[in-house]
Amino acid sequence: MDEENMTKSEEQQPLSLQKALQQCELVQNMIDLSISNLEGLRTKCATSNDLTQKEIRTLESKLVKYFSRQLSCKKKVALQERNAELDGFPQLRHWFRIVDVRKEVLEEITPGQLSLEDLLEMTDEQVCETVEKYGANREECARLNASLTCLRNVHMSGGNLSKQDWTIQWPTTETGKENNPVCPPEPTPWIRTHLSQSPRVQTKCVQHYCHASPSPGAP
């Protein structure tokens, strides 16, 4: 099945439990691969490159559409026919990886205690109140709400929005820079050389560099 070119009639058809599970698992394979590629691009720390930024945006947009597809498949199965396996889609922990919410936060959430669908039904304030109970910080709350807004819009439209509307509009920080889940650029060659020559200077410079260029969601 071509997930990128599902016809509108197929989108409207009710699904059996077995068929919905098959489609959700197929899309999950695409999600796993896309998230792996996304995290690889983010951790390369070459995100100032325009091509890298474009690839990151493309993967984020695809993931929004994939999660919307899983929500749609699940919705087309009658409530009385659903089982625990189907209720496991879409997976909240994978969405948190897209948003770059720390693992410590997700580990505080008991399986079945909170779902992506629960968050989609909440207001921004309710989302923050909910995830802050598990240790999420202000930046993570802002990114999570931005991502949920995008997914909510795509899902409610039935996936018929333009590709530009699939793009998550990450919030801006107080400094005016975009607060997206991307690590900071690597130190310049001079800094690397300078740090390697003097342990005393290394401590001072590393502390200054880390303070000057914080990474959203990083310890």
Side-chain angles (χ1 to χ4, degrees), residues 1 22 41 68 76 78 93 112 122 132 144 146 178 189:
M1 181 181 67
Q22 289 175 349
L41 286 173
S68 177
K76 289 185 286 185
R93 63 188 180 91
M122 298 179 187
E132 282 175 352
L144 181 57
E178 191 175 34

Side-chain angles (χ1 to χ4, degrees), residues 34-161:
S34 296
I35 289 181
S36 178
N37 292 337
L38 178 63
E39 291 177 334
L41 286 173
R42 286 174 175 173
T43 55
K44 283 181 179 178
C45 292
T47 53
S48 59
N49 182 285
D50 290 341
L51 182 59
T52 303
Q53 282 284 359
K54 184 177 180 180
E55 287 295 322
I56 288 174
R57 292 298 193 190
T58 298
L59 284 170
E60 290 173 350
S61 297
K62 283 185 177 180
L63 283 162
V64 168
K65 187 171 184 179
Y66 292 155
F67 273 80
S68 177
R69 184 63 47 78
Q70 285 187 331
L71 288 168
S72 296
C73 288
K74 186 175 180 179
K75 186 178 180 180
K76 289 185 286 185
V77 178
L79 286 173
Q80 64 272 20
E81 295 180 11
R82 299 179 188 177
N83 61 7
E85 187 177 0
L86 184 63
D87 285 337
F89 295 106
Q91 297 182 18
L92 180 62
R93 63 188 180 91
H94 282 111
W95 190 256
F96 274 19
R97 286 171 65 185
I98 298 171
V99 181
D100 198 27
V101 174
R102 287 165 296 130
K103 291 181 180 179
E104 292 89 340
V105 177
L106 189 55
E107 288 172 355
E108 291 295 321
I109 303 175
T110 305
Q113 190 174 19
L114 183 67
S115 70
L116 182 58
E117 289 164 297
D118 291 336
L119 293 176
L120 285 170
E121 293 175 359
M122 298 179 187
T123 64
D124 287 0
E125 292 76 14
Q126 290 172 330
V127 168
C128 288
E129 289 177 1
T130 300
V131 296
E132 282 175 352
K133 294 177 183 178
Y134 303 109
N137 58 38
R138 185 177 60 179
E139 289 76 15
E140 289 169 326
C141 288
R143 293 199 304 273
L144 181 57
N145 275 323
S147 69
L148 291 172
T149 296
C150 182
L151 177 59
R152 193 180 293 116
N153 291 340
V154 171
H155 180 55
M156 290 179 65
S157 73
N160 295 322
L161 297 177

